[in-house]
Amino acid sequence: MLPDDLKTQAAALLERCKAASLMLATAESCTGGLIAGTLTEIAGSSAVVDRGFVTYSNEAKAEMLGVDPALIAQQGAVSEAVARAMAEGALARSRADIAVAVTGVAGPGGGTATKPVGLVHFAVAHTGAETAAHHEVFPGNRSAVRWATVEKALAMIDAAVRPRERKPEAP
């Protein structure tokens, strides 16, 4: 089920997190748990993965992650502001050092002129740093959008982990 390239990417990321003593959490909407599923496909991932929140509905985003319903009403569930709030909520409601959040329109329906099918907002929150956000519009069908989202989310976590890796001690 899991593409080999994603399994390799996830395994390398987990090793970097483990070496840096970092725990991860996920907050997922359009991927429905695929990011957490990809990470936990790797044996030993329990040393790094604290928990995953699947918050497909707006109510789940509010109840599980503390996303303000007014923010969702104002910005829409598929927005940078909501992705940031999801990541920050996952970080606050877990033992994790880094949390990734994704919210988007996987399709085939649900897109609009301003929020087309394939649009995904990402955010990575981590202790001691500003929350990073990014968005992309991925081509392809629902499955392609979801797997591309997993790949990008892992890359964003990796970018957050690399500066935190332990440096060799000076002699």
Side-chain angles (χ1 to χ4, degrees):
M1 175 179 152
L2 183 64
D4 287 340
D5 58 331
L6 282 180
K7 192 169 185 177
T8 300
Q9 183 183 4
L13 172 61
L14 289 168
E15 281 302 314
R16 278 192 284 286
C17 289
K18 188 174 179 182
S21 299
L22 297 172
M23 295 290 289
L24 300 177
T26 66
E28 304 180 60
S29 186
C30 61
T31 50
L34 287 176
I35 299 166
T38 298
L39 292 168
T40 58
E41 178 71 15
I42 310 303
S45 58
S46 61
V48 172
V49 178
D50 178 49
R51 67 193 74 192
F53 300 90
V54 177
T55 57
Y56 211 70
S57 71
N58 293 343
E59 293 78 13
K61 289 172 183 65
E63 292 168 9
M64 295 174 69
L65 300 172
V67 177
D68 185 349
L71 179 66
I72 295 171
Q74 181 184 44
Q75 299 288 319
V78 179
S79 64
E80 179 181 319
V82 169
R84 285 178 181 273
M86 289 171 64
E88 291 164 2
L91 192 63
R93 288 163 174 78
S94 70
R95 297 180 307 118
D97 305 290
I98 298 176
V100 65
V102 296
T103 181
V105 184
T112 67
T114 57
K115 295 183 181 184
V117 170
L119 172 65
V120 179
H121 285 274
F122 300 81
V124 175
H126 44 106
T127 55
E130 188 173 326
T131 301
H134 177 76
H135 73 273
E136 290 208 21
V137 178
F138 296 111
N141 63 20
R142 182 177 183 81
S143 182
V145 169
R146 287 165 43 107
W147 285 115
T149 299
V150 172
E151 182 176 12
K152 181 63 180 181
L154 295 179
M156 287 185 70
I157 298 167
D158 191 55
V161 169
R162 287 189 181 268
R164 300 172 135 231
E165 290 179 312
R166 291 186 182 154
K167 307 290 187 247
E169 296 195 22

